[in-house]
Amino acid sequence: MSYDPQNVFARILRGELPCVSVYEDDSTLAFMDVMPQIEGHTLVIPKTPSRNLLAMAPEDLTPLILSAQKVGRAVKAAFDAPGLLVMQFNEPAAGQTVFHTHIHQLPRWEDRPLKPHAGTSFQAPEILEVHARKIRAALAAGA
C-alpha cells in the first residue's frame, strides 16, 4: 500500500491543520492526540513521509525512536504516572487508522481504564493545551 500525502498527519506537518504541539526537532513532531485514550495521550511522528514503521527508511528510524523516548519520559513525568504505554500500529488489521507512521505515548495507572482507540470523542483544545503545558514543562526540566 502507498503513502497518501493527504492524510491528517501530513496535513498537520504542512500547517494545513492545527495541532497542540509539545515537541519538535528537525526530524520529528510530537503533539496531543485529539481523541485521547487517557489524559496526556501524545503522538510522535516523523516529518518524512512513511505509511507506517514497516515502510520507514532505516535512516529515519533512529530520530523517531529517540524523540519517542524523550517525549515518553516527559509524558510519564508530567502526569506523575507509574507507567507508560507505547503503541505503534501497522495497517488496518493491527488497528492503524491514520496512515502516517506514529507512536502513541500514554501515561498509565493500574486503576484508570483506557478509552477505545480511535473513538469518536474529541477532546477540547483548551484541555489538550493544559496537558501539553505539563509535558513541555517536563521536557524543559530535563525529564
Side-chain angles (χ1 to χ4, degrees):
M1 301 205 138
S2 62
Y3 180 80
D4 176 7
Q6 295 305 315
N7 74 70
V8 66
F9 296 162
R11 294 182 66 203
I12 286 171
L13 286 169
R14 290 193 302 267
E16 297 171 4
L17 293 174
C19 74
V20 178
S21 176
V22 298
Y23 175 78
E24 183 172 7
D25 62 25
D26 291 340
S27 302
T28 64
L29 174 67
F31 53 93
M32 304 308 299
D33 193 312
V34 297
M35 291 185 286
Q37 291 182 261
I38 200 161
E39 67 178 6
H41 186 163
T42 306
L43 302 171
V44 182
I45 67 171
K47 290 184 176 179
T48 54
S50 65
R51 183 174 170 92
N52 56 44
L53 188 78
L54 302 176
M56 284 188 74
E59 61 273 13
D60 295 329
L61 288 169
T62 298
L64 177 63
I65 295 302
L66 291 174
S67 289
Q69 182 186 51
K70 181 176 191 163
V71 171
R73 286 177 176 154
V75 167
K76 186 176 179 293
F79 292 89
D80 195 28
L84 179 76
L85 176 60
V86 178
M87 297 186 298
Q88 199 283 316
F89 305 102
N90 295 278
E91 298 303 332
Q96 186 178 10
T97 57
V98 176
F99 298 97
H100 181 105
T101 305
H102 57 288
I103 297 175
H104 296 259
Q105 308 269 351
L106 293 86
R108 293 299 291 133
W109 301 264
E110 290 181 13
D111 61 343
R112 296 188 200 173
L114 295 177
K115 295 177 189 171
H117 173 63
T120 57
S121 176
F122 287 89
Q123 185 70 67
E126 301 80 24
I127 294 173
L128 293 177
E129 184 57 44
V130 168
H131 295 168
R133 277 195 296 268
K134 289 181 180 183
I135 297 167
R136 287 185 214 118
L139 283 164

